[in-house]
Structure formats: structure tokens, C-alpha cells
Amino acid sequence: MMRMCTSWTGRNAGLNVTWKVKANDRPYHQLPEFKKKVFLCIKKSKYSGNAIKTYKYNFLTFLPLNLYEQFRRVANVYFLALLILQIIPEISTLPWYTTLIPLVIVLGITAIKDLVDDLARHRMDNEINNRKSEVLLNGRFQEAKWREIQVGDVVRLKKNDFIPADLLLLSSSNPNSLCYVETAELDGETNLKFRMGLRVTDERLQEDHQLADFNALIECEEPNNRLDKFTGMMLWDRERYPLELDNMLLRGCKIRNTDWCHGLVIFAGGDTKIMKNGGKTRFKRTKIDELMNYMVYTIFALLILVSAGLAIGHTYWYEAIGTKAWYLFDGKDQTPGYRGFLSFWGYIIVLNTMVPISLYVSVEVIRLGQSKFINWDLQMYFAEKDTPAKARTTTLNEELGQIQYIFSDKTGTLTQNIMQFKKCTIAGLIKPFSILCQLVDWSWNRYADKKFQFIDHSLVAHVRSKKDKDAMEFFKLLSLCHTVMVEHKDDDLVYQAASPDEGALVTAARNFGYVFLSRTQDTMTIREMDQEMTYEMLALLDFNSDRKRMSIILKFPDGRIRLYCKGADTVIYERLSPSSKHKETTQTALDVFANETLRTLCLCYKDISAEEFEAWSRRHKEAQVTMNDREAALDAVYEQIENNLMLIGATAIEDKLQDGVPETIAKLAKADIKIWVLTGDKKETAENIGYSCSLLTDDMEIHYGDDVNEKLTRRQASRRDDPQAYRRGKKKTAEPFFPGSNKNALIITGGWLIDFVDMACECEAVICCRVTPKQKANVVSLVKKYKKAVTLSIGDGANDVNMIKTADIGVGISGQEGMQAVMSSDYAFAQFRYLQRLLLVHGRWSYIRMCKFLRFFFFKNFAFTLVHFWYSFFNGYSSQITFEDWFITLYNLAYSSLPVLLVGLLDQDVNDRLSLKFPKLYIPGQQGTLFNYKNFFISLFHGIFVSLIIFFIPYGAFLQTMGQDGEAPSDYQSFAVVAASSLIFIVNLQISLDTSYWTFVNCFAVLGSIAIYFGVMFDIHSAGIHVIFPSVFTFTGVASNALRQPYLWLTIILTVGISLLPVICIQFLSKTIWPSVGDKKYEMELKEDDDKKKPAPFQRGRRSRRSAYAFSHAQGYADLIASGQSFRRRPRAHGGPQESIREIPRREAENI
Amino acid sequence: MVKQESESANRPDNTAFTQQRLPAWQPILSAGIVIPGFVLIGLAFIGIGVALLVTSRSIQVLELDYTGDSNGSPCSSCSQSDIANCKCSLNFTLTTLFQGPVFFYYGLSNYFQNYRRYGASKDDNQLYGDLSSFTSPSSSCSPYNYDSSKKPIVPCGSIANSMFNDTFTLTRTVSGTTNNVTLDGKGIAWWTDYNIKYRNPSVTPLKNAFNGTVKPINWAKPAYELDASDRSNNGFVNQDFLVWMRRAALPNFRKLYRRIDASGDYQKGLPAGNYTIDITYNYPVRAFNGAKKIVFSNVSWMGGSNEFLGIAYLVIGSLCVVMSVVMLIVYAKFKFPDEE
């Protein structure tokens, strides 16, 4: 023992073992040596409490923090600065309230939204922190809230409890302190794992008083996020014991099949591995957001340039004319230069409407509306679980129309995680032969699992008739050759399988009358129809990923020795006896199964003579004690006996996909979206699912991680040889990894991630197996970083939280048990298949609408603002506004925003049916062709053009004229009204032209906006309001005076005509000459669809055959069974031969 | 039934709006609409253009510059001196009848009434007859809110202070005798300005309201004595004052001075003959290279003479027609390429 410990300390000498936990000693952890500086002199224990905190604000910090967050937005700072400028009377060219009111509204809306979000987080935290657990306090177990648990506490957990913190397993109700846990929340695997307490704690810490006296000191590594690693040491009674991950119960897991267990808290709260694994909540922004920000910067630059130009103009003008114009004397002794400087700021204020504050509010409103449409969508509502889709983040909708990469979890997302025994072939005959809609009634079998569904009555009858020896042997094999553990619970059998596949097979056998009842270390008891049989188990040749098979050697009650084997067809066929029958027929059946993407296993047996077994058994025992490379030695020995097998048949298991998954994936692939599956599962399982959900197709060439390594090394070598070529730019030198235009698929394992992005992105499909949550997130961020692509992650479990948070868009599958994925997701719905509607319909619409909205919004504000610019040339660059100030205040608010807002909410270029039918319509979004700098500049030039027209047509008309009745209408106020009216007509008619989906609401909005404009104008220009506020509303009578002149109406009509007609003309011509992508695709797709209707020829490629021996990560439970540790002598629940025959306490496990 | 409802409590409403299936019209810019549309609009614009141009041509305008820039022009002496009420006169001859009603305008060029600070330099409350603004004019009027002795100026501000103060009389010489042409100064300002926007304080006599205030620095007479002949034409509702206060949009502008009173000989307008305008030259414009004009004009349904709009309509209308032909050709070429 001591030798071992020294070696252990030696091994870990380099490790930083500074985390010390003392059992049942709370004050110990408050010692000064464990304090760390938090803030100035305030020190806190480095051990976190068990309360978790995911919220951002509390009562006091909300206002300052939230304002701080909001003012990190450039736009808000800009408007604040503008507000300050407007307060300075020298340069205030617009009243201050034109900025303050919108700013307050914007900040207020955002703050309320944040508050609601944070309250939800508070509630969630509270719910978790207030969960109850039993904690050992003052010598006895008391119920305590999770938040009160501290490091060093001993807690007792019961069956199905969630583990409150990272615990060291001390003892449990099971023999050898075995404890089963479900780690689904951590890694998404639903099969049970076992954890084992140390022998010493198992022996000495069973009773409460023993636990109360427990005073060991644990030394281990500092908290970290490695889920697969833990090293530590327990010092107890001057003895040292090594600790490993196998001794740990991690927070987030669930206790299963264990009545109770005791654990010592090592890491609590934020120190736990699951919390350390949680990525930081990130403020997500869309590409368009970024682009919009850059455009706003561009506009700033433009604004400053224009203002500076006009300020210089003012300086010169003032020098040349202003100083001489006695009537302009203002008593201020300011140099023209200084006046120019003031004019600069004045123009910044006047022209600020180029970046209207309402842009941000409107964008938020549109996104909110689109989120609502997602929530309301009946076609994304899952009636079975009464779960509608939910847009949890309302700011990302248009990004849904730009997705390039989807990262999907497998278990629970693509699949339902239900394995079903679907079909089988026995002695070359495929069963079921007939499909009946009525489910088989299992009432004849009292052990039958009620949930098991099978639809072939004939097979059942066949088996029950006991005529078919092959069929009997088939199910007998299934009931015997496995590593499933059984538990008797209230007269019911509960199987614990290392993998769901195996569970499905044993359950199938059970329902067909071959019920696996119990096992001991070396016997197995089954019920064959109505007769219980106990077999002596001579050897268990467990599965591993090289062998791809497992065997069991049994001694029958009559003394025969028989080996049963099940495994992947490839390995089984190599080992079949030449005399084995049904090879060809089974082969055909396997191909049929494979074509249906079922997972297959071949079953076979071999009779072994006693002598032969004796000889083999000796070699086996030798191999078992080999010191070096025991595994290889064992494999070699297994190889010797697993030959000359006789084929019985094959099973076909369906890893049940969620509805519509293959169709969805095919559709998304057509939309040029690349789909990566990231799963903690084995390679084989993942590949299998890849095929069944049509992510992988038979015309793809599969590259595994190992080939990839080769390719990469080659790439790196060539890069070394030709460094100059590399410097020329990555894109050009990086010749494709896979020459030829074949479709490629890539399956890689966890360790190989970092250098692969380029290569992986060349592939149609990528599957990453055995990746941890952190690695999942890493894959996502790699692609994000190097490909600058828009990514979406979809998952259902806590193990997906990281990638969901990392991706640009996270989607959670709701309606499942765990809610963590949903809680950290941006969108949540119940079924994977809704993804196509979310992306191809809602995403696409949102993107198109948002782009249209932004293009138009920029246009309408350029057209509006730049009129001031043109007017400057005629008013001495004096920052005189062209329009009435009330018009400026209300323009974006009331006169022009509603129609464009409705376009942003309701517009549809094609309806949802067509969007789904032609996924290619999605591509413009990915390429971002609808809104980019090109579009921005088009909007800018369109705006410049229209503003030019709006100014110069009235200018020409006003230059020398008088009114109908001789009064001069060429006054400033009439001019302002004419220009404003033209602008309103142009903007509202232009949006009408751009609207492609005219509903009565749009119509109402356009007419309404114009009506509101005139209504408000006539009100503001009325006598009544002037009487009340003579100095605020100074345009009294202008509207009525100006607009009764036909001449001015003709001016307005001409202005509107010149602004709109060229646009119509250009649109028509470009549509005729360059038909839109949508139109072209439409035609192409129609042809393509016709081609595809021909059924694919039946393929018999071996590659497409998938083995179900893709079991779990680890081997089966063979070691556990062999060691006998899980069997105990205890009062029998069922009499009879299930009695464990012997139990050898071999407790070397922790000493190895 | 109740149970069903509770089972699908979260079921979204199935309405046309929530499911985004509102009945809609999806307009397409088809050739059948665009090309005939352009032709029609083009023809309509040409029609309007012709009408405007013809009307504009039919309007008679007489423009006389009296700035006095050049030596030899009648008012050059006045323009060079600072003498108040300098007199000069301008002669012109009409060979035909100047169709009435005839309007008499004065025009200023290079005069920036649209300068921002100038435009803001007034006190709307004061001009609305608010007496408290009489005693303390708004600071926006600065530097014309208080005079050097800190007395409030009414009406305050640059606009009022710079009010145009040349005056004109028009005489006609018929066979040696000179008779005055009656000029009508009533109703030359906007009705709304006269009746609503500007208002004298309701103090009688009006003079008392101005107690303790001073007239604008450049003014010869206080506001309540602007028109000695008509008591109601004083204060802020003086027609000339109202016309001046309505700022021009552009630096070259005309403002209505008077109407030719259509009575007696002038019923049909100004008959042919020799006319003289006697000018009281006060308003300095040469300092800033400005110019002053007298304009006689009659009006039509479209107002005064301005050919710009007519020409613009004609050009745009023609372009529309041309473009419709171009579009037709392009459309034919791209939609039916086989027929080519």
C-alpha cells in the first residue's frame, strides 16, 4: 500500500494539489490560508458556497449596470452626445427634446426587456438553490437546501436525486459502494455509469455515527472543467488513498438504481465541474447588427465630412458676404473661423437624422414581431407535448436566414434515443414477413415489457409454437449473450444495459418468451418460455471497438459447452465455419436492413468440446495474468476460440430518429447549409445515425480521423517546403484536401479537432464523435473564427449548453426532461424537423424583411436629411433647416415609419410553401447579398438623388414666382411645406413599390401615413394651436395658404414623378435583363425535381452496412460481472435458482 | 372538451395574421403595366408642361433695377450717400396695356433672409401681443432686444430691425399731366398672418402698450405709427411689416409691395403710357453686393411667370415616352429572343 502511494505522489509531483477539503469541518475551510483577495482588503474563502448565480443584476446594481451595458452601444452614446450638443444654445439648431424623448424611450424599452430576462434567471437560480438534500450536521442527517451545502459536508442522496455538488462517493446501499449514475445532463449519454467508493470508506462509513466521525483530509487539484479527469488523495488515519474520477459523483448527474449513497462535498457551486464547463453567457449579435454598426460608423464619417465641408463653406461665405451683410449683425465678436466651428456642430445636429435613433427601436420592434410570428406558428407547434416554438432571444431572427453551418447534437436531437428491435433474420428468413397494423398482444407472457412494440404476429406465434429450433436458439442467444444487469423491482424486471442497443435486444428476447431473470458472477438464469434454466457462465468475452463482437461461453445444464457470439457482420463473417448455412440469405437480409438504415448484428454459436475448452481456458487464464499488454493478449486468446462459428441469424435495431429528420437534413443540405453532428457517442453509432438521417449518403467517401491526420501532415510538409506560397495567402495555396469533386464526409474523434477546420469545411458532412461539451463548443468557435461563418447549434441536453451558447444561434429541443439546453438557447422547439421551417421560412423571411427594411430606412433618412445639405448652399451655410422642426421630429416617428415597419414585419416575396419547396432560395441570405455595403451605397445614392430632386425642383419653381393672388408664395415656410409634402409622398409611394406582399394593413399604413401627415400638419398650422403656443408653432396658416395653390401641387407632383419614375424604370429593366436569383432557381429546381423522382437503384454496397455493435463508450459490464462486485448475498426477493451461487469478495479494484 | 382545451393550452391561435396568411396582393412590375403607364404619364406630363409654359408666357412681367450700382442710373447718387429719405425716380414706358390685376413688388437679391440666426432673431410671443415680452424681449432677439440704455426694443430682433423701408409712388404722365396711380396696400399680407399669427396687444390706444420700449434701431418711426393714414394698419399687423416678416426661402426674392387699384383708368390694368416711380431710397444693399428691383406683374391660375416648371414637365414627359419605347424594345428582346 505504501509503495503504491509513493508512486502515486511521485506521479503527481508536478500537479498542483492545493485544494484541501476536510470532512465534517466547516471552520477549516475558512482558515486564512484559503482566503483569496476579492476586492482591496476584503478576503473571501476560495471555496464557493453551493449556491449558483447566473443572474446579472440585483436590486441595487440594475440601474447603473444596465445603463452601463446600454451605453456600450455606440448609437446610444452618440445620441447622448447629440443631446448634450443640443443643450448648448450657441449651436442648438434643433430643440433638445427631438433627441431626448426618443432616447429615453429606447433606453426604457431595452431596460424593461433586460429586467424581465434577469427576473427569469433569478427565479431559475432560486429554484435550483432551494432544492433539498440531506446533509450530516451535528451528527445526524438533516434536510438542507442546496445553497446551504458547503465544502467538506457529508450528504446523503437517495434514488433519483440530482447530485447537488461534486462529491466523493463514500458508501452506498449497493455492495462495494457501487453507485449508478445517469450522466445525461453532463454528456448526453443516457446509459448508466457506475461509480465506486473506496474500499476503506465502504467498509468504515456505513452508519451515521461513523460518517459523523469521519475526518479525512482530501487533497486534490483545483476546480477545473475536465469532466474526464480527477486526481486527488485522501488522508485518513495517517493512511493515504488515491482518488480518481471513478470515486466521484459529479453535480448534474442523477442517482439511479441505488437506494442511498453518501458523499463528501469536494467542489461546490461555481467550482463544480458542470459549472466550470458552462461557457459565459454572451451577448449575441447578428451579422446584420455588425454590418449596421459599421454602416452607422460610415454615416458618422459622412456626417462629419459633410458638416466639416459645410462649416468651411460657412467660414468663407461669412468672410465674403456675412460680414458685409449689415442685417445679419448679431453683436457677437466672432471670427468667421469660429463661426465655421460653431456651424460644424450645428450641422452635426441638423444632419443627425441620417442616423435616426428610431432605426434601433424599429429594428427591435421588427425582431420582436418576427419572434412573435415564430411563437405563433402552428406548424412548429408540437401538439403531442403541447409545446409551441419559442423565440427566447428576440434579437437574432434575421440571422436565421444566414446560417451556413449547423452543429447538431445526436442523442435526443436527431434521435429519440429509443432503440427498437425492428426485424430479424432467422436461418436466412427475414422476419417480420408481414406487417400488420395491430400490435402484438403480449399478455401471454407475464414478463413481457409492456412498452415493447412489435407488429409481426406470425413471428410470435412461430416462436411460441416451439417448432422452429433456429428461432428458439436465436432468442436464447439474445437472452444469454449480453452484459445486461437485472434488477427486480416490485415483481417487474428492470434491465440496466451498458448501451441501449443491448437493452433492446434483451428486451426483445424477453418478450418473445426468453426472459433473462438474473445473473451471478458465473451463472445466468433465464426463463425459456415456461421453464427456468440456469446456465453456468464459463467465460465472458467482452466487446471492445477492435473486436466489434462479444461472446459468452456457457455450460448447459446437460453438460454441453456452447459459445454464443454476436457482433458486426464484417467480423462475424470472417469467422464463420465453412459449413455454416444461410450465409447468402443472411447477407441479403443484412443488405436489406442496411438499406433501411437499421443497425444489424449477426448472431452465431459454436459448440465446444470439453477438452477444447479446457485447453483454451488455460491459455485464457494465462492471458489474464499477463503483466504487459494484457488487453492484446486477451484479444489474441479470444480470437482462438471465436472461429468456426455457425450463423443463426441477424438482428436489426432501429435507433429511432425523430420524425422528419432525414427530410429536414436533406432539405437543409440543399440550401447549402453544412451540417455537423457533434456527439459524445462512439464512432460507429454516430456513423450509423449519419446514414439513417441521410446526412451521410452512399455516394460519399468517408474519411476518418486517421486518414485525416495523414492528409494534414502532408499539407504541413508541403507548407514547410514552400513557405513563400503560403505567404501568398492561405486561400490560394490551400489546394483542396480531397481532389476530385466527390462528395466527402468526415468522421473524426475528439483529439483531432484543432487543425481541421479547413479540411472539414470542404466536406458535405462532418461527424465528430466522443467530444466533450467543451470540445463541442470549441468546434463551433473554430468554425466561427476561421470561417467567419454564421453557425447554429441545436441540442437538447446540458452537454450541449456550451455549444448552444457559443454558436451564433443556439436552438434547444424543448419538451424533454432537462431544461438546461432550452434555458441557454435562443430558440426552442419540440422537434428537430421544425428547424427547416425556422430557417427556410422564418429565417429567410426575417432576413429579407430586415434587409428590405434597413435598405429603405437608410434611403428614407438620406432623402430626408440631405435636403438640408442642398439648402445650405442657398442660405449661407447657416445650418438652417429646410423643414419645419415639428416635421423633423415626427418624420421618423409618424409620417414614414409605419409602412416600412409593416414591410419589415409582413413582407413575403414567396410564401412559406415555396420557401420550403425551393431551399435554394435560402442561399442569398448566406451570401448576405441583400444587405451589404453595395446595397448601402445604392441606398445612399438613391437618397442623394431623391433629396436633390426634393430640393431643386421646388427651388426652380420658387426661384421667381408669385402666388395665384399675387402674394409671394416664395417664402421659406411655404417652401418647407412643399418639400416636406413631396418627401412624404415619395417615401410612402416608394415603400409601396417595394412592398411585395400587399395586405390591407399595408394599404392602410401607406394611406394612413399620408393622411396623418396632412392631418398633423394642418393641426400644427392651425390657428388654435398657435393661440396656445405662439412661439412653438410658428407655421400658422402655411399649409392652407400653400396647398391651395395649384402651382405648388404641380411642383409636388413633378417632384414625386421624377423621384419615382426612374426607379420603376430601372427596376423593370433590371428585372427583364437580369432576372432575380429566385426566378432562375425556381425553374432550375422544377427540372431538378423531375430528375430526382426516379427511385434510386437498390445499392448493395458493403460500406452501407452498419453494425449495431456500436455499443457504449466503455466496454460492457463484463468486468463488473466477472469481478462479482455487484452481487451480494441478500434476502431473496424471488425464490428459486436465481440465488447467487457464490460471491468472492475480490476487492482489488481500488488497489490496482 | 374542457380537457382538450387544457391539453393544448399553449396551442397558438390559428388566425390568418398569426400564421402569416393574410390575404394579399403581390404586385409585379409587369410590362403590361409599366410600359403603357409610362406612356400615359409621359403624355400627361407633356400636357401639363405645355399648359404651364403657355400660361407662363402669357404673363407680363416688368422688372426694373434701381440699386444704382452704375453711374448714370437714376438712383446712383442715393445709393452712394447715407442720406435718409434720399429721393430718386425711375421712368418707364408701357407700349401696350399691362393686363390687370397688376401687382407691384419690390425685389432683393443676394439677401439672406433664410440665414438661420437671422430667422431666429424675433420673439413670437411679443409679436403675438404678449405684453410681458414687451418689457423683456426674448434673448433670441439679441443684440436687438435692448438698446444701449437697456430699454427693450419692440419689435425686437434682426428681422424687424432690417425691415425694408424704401417707399414708392407710381405716377402716369398722360399728355403732360401727371396723375398718381392709386396703390392698394390692403390685404397684401397673408390673411392668417394678419388675423392670427400677429396680434397687437389689446391696449387702446396702441401707443400706450409701447410705453417704456423703444423702436428698432433702424426704424424711423415706432411700430404704432407705421401708417398714419390707417389706424388699423399699425403695430405688428402693419401689412408691410407682415410681408417683411414672412422670410423668403431663397436669397433672391420678391415681396409684394402694393396692388394697382383697379379703378378708373386702371380697371383693365396699366394702360400704355409713360410712368414714373418716385423712390424714397433708404435701404442700403450695395454693402453686401445686393440689388433692389421693382417688379410689375400680373398673375394667372398658376401664379406668376416661371417657365421652369413647364419646361421640366415637358422634359420629364418626353423622357417618359422615350423610356417606354426603350423598355418595350428591351422587353421584346429579352422575353422573346427566338423571334429575333
Side-chain angles (χ1 to χ4, degrees), chain A residues 90-93 314 317-318 321 324-332 334 339 342 373 375-379 381 383 386 388 842 845 849 871 874-876 878-880 905-906 908-910 951-953 955-975 993 995-1001 1023 1026-1027 1030-1031 1034-1038 1040-1042 1046-1047 1049-1051 1053-1054 1057-1058 1061 1064-1065 1067-1069 1071-1073, chain B residues 6-14 17-31 34-35 38 41 45 48 52 63 103 105 110-119 122 124-125 128 142-144 158 161-162 187-193 196-199 218 246-256 259 283-285 287-289 293 295 297 299-306 308-309 312-313 316 320 323 326-328 330-331 334-335:
Chain A
E90 277 288 282
I91 55 177
S92 174
T93 45
H314 182 70
W317 180 88
Y318 201 80
I321 298 167
K324 294 175 199 154
W326 56 267
Y327 56 92
L328 296 181
F329 174 73
D330 56 10
K332 294 196 176 83
Q334 292 166 335
R339 280 168 193 274
L342 291 181
F373 279 127
N375 296 349
W376 287 332
D377 195 341
L378 264 179
Q379 294 178 59
Y381 166 75
D386 189 29
H842 288 285
W845 277 347
R849 288 165 181 175
Y871 192 33
F874 301 94
N875 62 28
S878 60
S879 47
Q880 170 67 43
L905 283 170
L906 302 176
Q908 303 177 11
D909 58 336
V910 295
F951 179 75
F952 281 100
I953 297 296
Y955 170 81
F958 270 69
L959 196 55
Q960 279 184 344
T961 193
M962 9 345 234
Q964 223 177 1
D965 44 9
E967 290 163 2
S970 61
D971 64 297
Y972 159 73
Q973 294 190 333
S974 301
F975 185 87
L993 276 179
T995 306
S996 44
Y997 192 75
W998 264 91
T999 64
F1000 67 94
V1001 193
H1026 179 75
V1027 170
S1031 62
T1034 58
F1035 270 58
T1036 312
V1038 180
S1040 50
N1041 264 304
Y1047 182 75
W1049 275 107
L1050 287 176
T1051 310
I1053 290 170
L1054 183 67
I1058 299 182
L1061 291 173
I1064 298 175
C1065 183
Q1067 271 184 10
F1068 177 79
L1069 287 179
K1071 217 180 152 177
T1072 313
I1073 301 173
Chain B
S6 69
E7 267 175 6
S8 52
N10 296 323
R11 186 185 178 87
D13 294 339
N14 187 8
F17 175 68
T18 56
Q19 301 310 312
Q20 307 199 57
R21 286 194 311 260
L22 283 178
W25 172 56
Q26 291 185 279
I28 300 163
L29 284 179
S30 67
V34 174
I35 296 172
F38 264 68
I41 291 172
F45 273 26
I48 296 172
L52 278 172
E63 204 174 273
F103 296 87
Y105 301 88
N110 205 24
Y111 192 102
F112 289 83
Q113 253 202 328
N114 57 14
Y115 189 79
R116 181 177 68 85
R117 286 197 195 171
Y118 176 85
K122 58 183 170 122
D124 286 297
N125 286 320
Y128 191 63
S142 170
Y144 301 108
S158 292
N161 188 49
S162 61
I188 55 171
W190 284 15
W191 185 90
T192 46
D193 284 352
I196 299 160
K197 195 170 170 190
Y198 295 86
R199 195 170 281 187
N218 288 352
R246 185 149 285 281
R247 295 159 62 207
L250 298 166
N252 297 335
F253 57 86
R254 296 168 180 177
K255 281 178 187 284
L256 185 56
R259 266 193 286 261
Y283 209 71
V285 294
F288 51 87
N289 303 323
K293 271 175 279 191
V295 182
S297 172
V299 295
S300 65
W301 61 270
M302 62 163 275
S305 163
N306 186 337
F308 170 83
L309 207 60
Y313 263 106
I316 299 303
C320 277
M323 280 321 291
V326 171
M327 283 191 287
L328 189 65
V330 170
Y331 181 75
F334 279 87
K335 282 288 162 172

Side-chain angles (χ1 to χ4, degrees), chain A residues 346-359:
Chain A
Y347 270 115
I348 294 273
I349 296 171
V350 168
L351 300 178
N352 87 79
T353 43
M354 277 206 279
V355 196
I357 193 160
S358 60
L359 173 70

Side-chain angles (χ1 to χ4, degrees), chain A residues 878-943:
Chain A
S878 60
S879 47
Q880 170 67 43
I881 47 178
T882 317
F883 307 111
E884 186 186 0
D885 51 357
W886 284 104
F887 177 78
I888 293 175
T889 315
L890 294 174
Y891 173 73
N892 270 316
L893 214 62
Y895 300 155
S896 64
S897 53
L898 200 57
V900 68
L901 211 61
L902 284 175
V903 166
L905 283 170
L906 302 176
D907 209 41
Q908 303 177 11
D909 58 336
V910 295
N911 62 22
D912 51 345
R913 204 178 46 78
L914 285 177
S915 310
L916 282 173
K917 193 171 177 195
F918 303 109
K920 287 255 167 4
L921 290 173
Y922 188 78
I923 294 171
Q926 290 172 328
Q927 295 165 342
T929 50
L930 294 184
F931 188 68
N932 50 34
Y933 261 96
K934 193 181 137 210
N935 300 110
F936 173 75
F937 282 114
I938 290 174
S939 289
L940 177 61
F941 287 119
H942 189 194

